[in-house]
């Protein structure tokens, strides 16, 4: 069997469009996940018991169930409860964002707990409230420490985003499947898809490493 390079060249623009959708879904989902995860991570270590309990249930549920099931629940179950039809785009970002938020919550929790307790005591001694101390002193330091873990979460979600194809999204993997259905050239197309994923993940890894180096350099000065 010969490797059909001409087909790869012809299919490449369509696959790149799918890669663009994959990056867009992943970036928006991680943004949603960081917002949710930051609040849930703080709630996990906060003083209010009911918030700690809610955050624990949220993290346990979304870390303990498959992302594929969560996508189905958001896309099919919510319309049954609300009477409103789900938009696939909103459902995909919502499900991926909620899933990512559970992992990011644990990343922020561990990052905040790694900050010396003296930082909190110093902020309180300056007259800051607990919230102000977290906002201006503790969280900024914790954020720098968790950048590598956030990068890993971005890469993991980039690959897991292929699951949104089950609700009709034509991201990179789905576009590959559609091309294979027409051409039966599975080896060529899956190889091309794998290379595109590899390029994206390596680019993100290098960018995260640059951010880590840059923050470390700023801290030394």
């Amino acid at each position: 069997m010969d490797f059909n390079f001409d087909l790869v060249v012809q299919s490449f623009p369509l696959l790149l469009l799918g890669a663009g959708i994959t990056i867009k879904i992943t970036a928006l989902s991680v943004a949603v996940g960081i917002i949710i995860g930051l609040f849930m991570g703080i709630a996990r270590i906060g003083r209010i018991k009911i918030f700690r309990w809610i955050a624990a249930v949220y993290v346990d549920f979304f870390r303990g169930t498959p992302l594929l099931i969560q996508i189905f629940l958001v896309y099919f179950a919510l319309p049954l409860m609300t009477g409103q039809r789900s938009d696939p785009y909103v459902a995909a970002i919502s499900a991926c964002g909620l899933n990512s938020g559970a992992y990011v919550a644990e990343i922020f929790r561990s990052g905040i707990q790694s900050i010396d307790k003296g930082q909190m005591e110093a902020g309180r001694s300056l007259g800051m409230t607990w919230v102000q101390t977290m906002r201006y002193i503790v969280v900024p330091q914790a954020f720098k420490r968790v950048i590598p873990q956030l990068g890993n979460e971005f890469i993991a979600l980039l690959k897991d985003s292929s699951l949104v194809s089950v609700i009709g999204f034509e991201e990179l993997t789905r576009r590959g499947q559609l091309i294979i259905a027409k051409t039966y050239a599975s080896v060529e197309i899956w190889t091309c898809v794998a290379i595109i994923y590899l390029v994206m993940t390596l680019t993100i890894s290098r960018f995260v490493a640059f951010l880590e180096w840059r923050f470390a350099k700023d801290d030394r000065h």
Side-chain angles (χ1 to χ4, degrees), residues 30 33-45 55 58-59 63 97 99-115 134 138-157 208:
V30 169
I34 287 176
I35 294 170
I36 295 174
L38 178 59
F39 284 103
M40 288 296 174
I42 293 174
R44 288 270 280 169
I45 57 176
Y58 167 78
V59 170
R63 292 180 71 196
N99 179 274
S100 179
Y103 290 93
V104 174
E106 289 301 275
I107 291 172
F108 275 122
R109 181 184 63 78
S110 62
I112 291 170
Q113 288 179 326
S114 72
I115 303 299
M134 289 293 288
V138 177
V139 170
Q141 295 182 69
F143 187 79
K144 291 181 181 178
R145 293 189 179 183
V146 302
I147 284 177
Q149 293 92 325
L150 289 178
N152 291 335
E153 171 59 22
F154 195 105
I155 290 172
L157 195 59
V208 171

Side-chain angles (χ1 to χ4, degrees), residues 63-137:
R63 292 180 71 196
T65 56
L67 176 57
L68 182 62
I69 303 299
Q70 294 161 18
I71 293 171
F72 278 135
L73 288 176
V74 171
Y75 189 65
F76 294 110
L78 279 183
L80 293 177
M81 292 186 287
T82 63
Q84 300 292 324
R85 185 177 180 182
S86 289
D87 179 84
Y89 190 74
V90 175
I93 293 173
S94 299
C96 291
L98 287 168
N99 179 274
S100 179
Y103 290 93
V104 174
E106 289 301 275
I107 291 172
F108 275 122
R109 181 184 63 78
S110 62
I112 291 170
Q113 288 179 326
S114 72
I115 303 299
D116 189 274
K117 291 182 179 178
Q119 298 289 313
M120 173 61 77
E121 295 170 358
R124 300 303 299 273
S125 67
L126 292 172
M128 292 183 177
T129 63
W130 187 87
V131 174
Q132 288 174 328
T133 307
M134 289 293 288
R135 178 180 176 184
Y136 295 112
I137 297 178

Side-chain angles (χ1 to χ4, degrees), residues 147 204-217:
I147 284 177
I204 295 169
S205 297
R206 298 297 180 270
F207 180 68
V208 171
F210 168 76
L211 286 180
E212 193 176 0
W213 169 80
R214 185 61 186 267
F215 282 129
K217 183 181 177 182

Side-chain angles (χ1 to χ4, degrees), residues 7-44:
L7 177 62
V8 171
V9 172
Q10 292 171 9
S11 305
F12 195 68
L14 287 175
L15 293 174
L16 276 186
L17 288 175
I21 295 173
T22 293
I23 291 175
K24 189 175 181 180
I25 292 173
T26 305
L28 290 174
S29 299
V30 169
V32 171
I34 287 176
I35 294 170
I36 295 174
L38 178 59
F39 284 103
M40 288 296 174
I42 293 174
R44 288 270 280 169

